[in-house]
Amino acid sequence: MEQATVERGAWTSKFGFILAAAGSAVGLGNVWRFPYITAQNGGGAFVLLYLLFVVIIGWPIMIAEFAVGRAAERNPVGAFRVLAPKTIWYIVGGLGVACGVGILSYYSVVAGWTVGYFFKMLLGEFSSKMTPDQAAETFRHFAADPVNAVGYTFLFLGLTAIVVMGGVSQGIERSVKLMMPLLFILLLLLIVRALTLEGAGAGIRFYLKPDFSKISGGTVVMALGQALFSLSLGMGTMMTYGSYLNKKESIITASADVCFYDTLIAVMAGFLIFPTLFAMKIDSTGGPGLVFVVLPAIFHKMFLGQLFGAAFFLLLAIAALTSTISLLEVGVAYLVDERKWRRRSAALVLTLIAAIVSLPSALSFGTLPHLNDLWGLGITFLDLMNILVGNYFLTIGAFLLSVFVGYRWGIQALRREVEQGGRRFYGYRVFAFLIRFVCPVAILMIFAYILATKNYF
Ligand code: PHE
């Protein structure tokens, strides 16, 4: 028993927990995915929709994940086993573990690019005459090179494994306490620089002025998917992190804090990317390469641009690392709790699996014919993973979790968990309404829409 607790671990403080959960939430989703999806979906109106989903779907689902995890004190598979014994609900947890490895596999590719770009910037590899077109070409070249792509991906996976092997408090908590404040400071610095660029105003207008004619069913799907992805919901990450949380702490305020920080950083990232984009007069619908193309082109024009550029990619890499550790931790918790593996072996084996699965994503920007243009749809293998696992699977996971909490485990059971240590759960009627009706119905409607319009990507 003693040994099991040691292998499991726990947060040493509420602050450490919030930083770790916020670290999981804040990642490439905020600085890389949010801006380009906002750009593709018309700007301000998308942002409003996104904010709405964070509050009415993201927050309740996060409360549910924290409560389920902490009530069971287990990984997602074990949590469903404990709370709904002798049922097949544990499969939902299994789906979460698989999603963790799936997202880790392509997320590490993009994270690897950020490390590569950090070095490129630092070494001043971007010449002073770089036009946006040249920047795009440089990126294509970089991403297509198999040695770069695979090498940096593996490097990133290795870093992730090292942190996770260190354990919950000594590895994860200690590293986020260092990285999160650094990330915040770097972001602030860069925003000040972006806002003072000539022509920044047009970017701000695009970002903040809602144009509701741009909202279609597809926009709604993307906004919900983005909210879940960005908050790390729908696959048991927050359940796992919640399982290490002390019973004394308030799940309601902790989840509100995490939602707030995540949204804050995403909104702030917009204030960095859009002014920069418009100041450079680049087409704003850049896709996944957006930050890798736009930002290098602008940094060289700045005073100390090389340094700002390096700082930016360092920021992205840090944000990504605090997320990849949470993706890996889900599967590690499963192997440690349910299969009694040692933490180190669990981390190592899962990282190896993620490394193998990452290969088609890492190589999908090169010349391999099938990976860079699947079925002639113009999407790469990495795009496919991003949409399939990062959007659909998370949405399905969130749906199943809301049904589980709303109808199987029950609102009263959740309330008891939230009220541990003599707290009151004031908004629980509102919560019950959101988790039982709003979340599942909204998600079902979205899927019905996708099926009806066959607008899958
Ligand atoms: N939330 C992370 C981000 O925004 C990605 C993530 C998704 C992490 C799901 C864990 C689980 O980058």
Side-chain angles (χ1 to χ4, degrees):
M1 195 59 218
E2 186 63 5
Q3 181 58 26
T5 337
V6 172
E7 282 295 307
R8 258 208 123 243
W11 308 113
T12 59
S13 67
K14 180 179 182 195
F15 179 63
F17 163 68
I18 290 185
L19 275 189
S24 165
V26 174
L28 297 174
N30 306 58
V31 190
W32 163 73
R33 206 175 190 259
F34 177 74
Y36 89 77
I37 290 190
T38 301
Q40 283 173 342
N41 289 282
F46 174 86
V47 177
L48 283 181
L49 206 57
Y50 171 81
L51 294 177
L52 177 75
F53 283 147
V54 168
V55 176
I56 67 165
I57 295 186
W59 190 18
I61 299 268
M62 192 177 293
I63 293 175
E65 284 208 22
F66 282 166
V68 165
R70 194 177 71 173
E73 296 185 300
R74 289 275 190 298
N75 65 91
V77 177
F80 285 105
R81 277 199 183 129
V82 170
L83 302 183
K86 303 204 178 61
T87 65
I88 55 167
W89 275 104
Y90 70 89
I91 296 177
V92 180
L95 189 72
V97 172
C99 268
V101 177
I103 297 181
L104 185 60
S105 77
Y106 75 87
Y107 199 91
S108 303
V109 175
V110 181
W113 294 345
T114 69
V115 177
Y117 263 58
F118 167 70
F119 288 124
K120 268 178 170 312
M121 278 288 168
L122 210 58
L123 299 174
E125 265 187 43
F126 291 102
S127 79
S128 59
K129 286 185 293 298
M130 174 100 70
T131 64
D133 284 341
Q134 286 166 329
E137 190 48 42
T138 309
F139 175 66
R140 260 197 298 279
H141 206 78
F142 174 79
D145 178 349
V147 178
N148 270 342
V150 175
Y152 283 119
T153 303
F154 284 10
L155 175 73
F156 210 87
L157 283 169
L159 285 175
T160 307
I162 291 173
V163 176
V164 171
M165 281 178 187
V168 174
S169 56
Q170 290 307 306
I172 301 178
E173 187 172 346
R174 214 170 50 162
S175 65
V176 292
K177 278 188 177 157
L178 185 80
M179 290 193 279
M180 293 305 284
L182 185 63
L183 180 139
F184 197 77
I185 295 168
L186 282 177
L187 186 57
L188 271 183
L189 252 167
L190 289 162
I191 290 177
V192 172
R193 179 61 274 222
L195 290 179
T196 49
L197 288 171
E198 204 176 312
I204 304 281
R205 266 192 300 282
F206 171 79
Y207 185 38
L208 294 187
K209 212 172 125 219
D211 174 357
F212 289 104
S213 67
K214 292 266 172 59
I215 295 220
S216 68
T219 324
V220 181
V221 181
M222 292 311 282
L224 177 61
Q226 174 62 21
L228 295 174
F229 181 86
S230 188
L231 293 167
S232 305
L233 296 174
M235 53 152 283
T237 312
M238 291 304 178
M239 214 182 274
T240 307
Y241 273 20
S243 77
Y244 305 126
L245 179 64
N246 193 299
K247 298 274 186 197
K248 295 198 310 283
E249 311 294 357
S250 162
I251 286 178
I252 306 300
T253 55
S255 53
D257 285 350
V258 176
C259 288
F260 174 76
Y261 290 129
D262 184 63
T263 309
L264 178 72
I265 303 278
V267 170
M268 283 170 71
F271 280 105
L272 163 62
I273 306 291
F274 291 111
T276 311
L277 198 69
F278 279 72
M280 289 301 292
K281 302 200 174 35
I282 301 178
D283 172 16
S284 62
T285 56
L290 182 71
V291 302
F292 297 94
V293 174
V294 176
L295 294 162
I298 189 88
F299 286 129
H300 81 262
K301 290 201 171 157
M302 293 176 182
F303 175 60
L304 293 181
Q306 196 171 331
L307 228 64
F308 277 109
F312 174 75
F313 287 105
L314 180 66
L315 169 131
L316 269 182
I318 292 173
L321 186 59
T322 55
S323 299
T324 52
I325 55 187
S326 74
L327 287 163
L328 183 59
E329 180 62 23
V330 178
V332 168
Y334 162 68
L335 291 175
V336 168
D337 291 345
E338 306 300 300
R339 312 249 154 205
K340 308 287 171 249
W341 283 36
R342 303 253 315 279
R343 169 171 279 278
R344 284 172 165 270
S345 337
L348 212 63
V349 169
L350 287 173
T351 304
L352 278 176
I353 297 175
I356 296 168
V357 184
S358 77
L359 288 173
S361 289
L363 298 173
S364 67
F365 292 79
T367 44
L368 293 177
H370 296 301
L371 295 176
N372 61 16
D373 184 12
L374 296 172
W375 309 293
L377 286 173
I379 57 169
T380 65
F381 189 84
L382 187 143
D383 293 326
L384 178 73
M385 292 292 282
N386 195 7
I387 296 167
L388 198 68
V389 189
N391 233 344
Y392 287 124
F393 283 20
L394 295 187
T395 313
I396 295 169
F399 171 77
L400 293 171
L401 181 79
S402 65
V403 172
F404 178 76
V405 169
Y407 300 95
R408 164 76 217 208
W409 189 42
I411 304 293
Q412 288 310 325
L414 178 134
R415 187 178 176 190
R416 269 195 300 281
E417 182 57 37
V418 168
E419 295 191 340
Q420 290 264 10
R423 293 175 187 283
R424 296 269 331 251
F425 183 2
Y426 290 105
Y428 97 95
R429 277 174 213 284
V430 182
F431 170 81
F433 177 69
L434 291 173
I435 207 86
R436 294 183 66 141
F437 301 108
V438 176
C439 297
V441 171
I443 296 175
L444 278 182
M445 278 168 50
I446 285 174
F447 273 106
Y449 170 85
I450 297 171
L451 290 176
T453 56
K454 298 201 168 48
N455 206 340
Y456 305 113
F457 297 109

